[in-house]
Each structure stands twice: as C-alpha cells, then as structure tokens.
C-alpha cells in the first residue's frame, strides 16, 4: 500500500482542458466513489484552483480502504 499511496500522491494537481462554468458543476470520482469537495469546509477531499484551472486532490483525506490499484479518476463538469 505504501508504494501505491506514494505514486498516487505525486499526482495531486490535475489540469482541466477547459474552465468549468460554473465551478460548482465539478464532480470528482475515484473508483466510482464520489468525493466531497470544493465546499470550503474541512471535509473537502478536493478543491478547484481557478487560477491554474486545476483540481487539487487531498489524498491524505481519503481513506486507504477506498483506493485500489487501477482505480480511475473521473472529473465531470460543464464548460
């Protein structure tokens, strides 16, 4: 698990191809699990950085039991 965690953690900023309109339309899923995010609260598992147009994932807030090798990250939004 440690090797997997280290590999995934290295990719915590994901550049979007287009800016979401509105940013509230963003939905982030990992392995089919929808992550809470971009609410401005401490429970956020991810945030949107409008300056760089990136989704920032906080891996340390996601329980290891929810991650498996090969899980896909899906980011859906309107633009």
């Amino acid at each position: 698990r440690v090797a997997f965690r280290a590999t995934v953690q290295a990719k915590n900023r994901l550049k979007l191809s287009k800016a979401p309109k509105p940013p509230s339309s963003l939905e982030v899923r990992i392995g089919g699990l929808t992550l809470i995010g971009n609410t401005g609260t401490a429970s956020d598992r991810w945030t949107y950085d409008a300056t760089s147009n990136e989704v920032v994932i906080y891996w340390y807030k996601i329980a290891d039991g929810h991650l498996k090798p090969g899980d896909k990250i899906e980011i859906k939004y309107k633009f």
Side-chain angles (χ1 to χ4, degrees):
R1 282 220 189 254
V2 174
F4 172 69
R5 188 75 162 174
T7 300
V8 171
Q9 195 165 359
K11 299 182 183 201
N12 67 328
R13 299 184 74 88
L14 303 168
K15 184 82 169 165
L16 302 178
S17 58
K18 296 184 179 187
K21 295 187 186 200
S24 61
S25 71
L26 278 161
E27 181 182 327
V28 178
R29 298 170 64 89
I30 298 178
L33 175 72
T34 300
L35 301 180
I36 296 169
N38 216 37
T39 65
T41 65
S43 63
D44 283 348
R45 306 299 191 263
W46 63 272
T47 56
Y48 172 64
D49 181 345
T51 304
S52 62
N53 194 36
E54 295 174 320
V55 169
V56 182
I57 298 177
Y58 303 109
W59 294 109
Y60 65 93
K61 292 186 175 185
I62 302 170
D64 286 340
H66 293 292
L67 300 172
K68 298 181 299 294
D71 277 350
K72 293 185 180 182
I73 299 171
E74 297 175 77
I75 301 173
K76 296 181 181 181
Y77 59 97
K78 296 177 183 177
F79 52 89

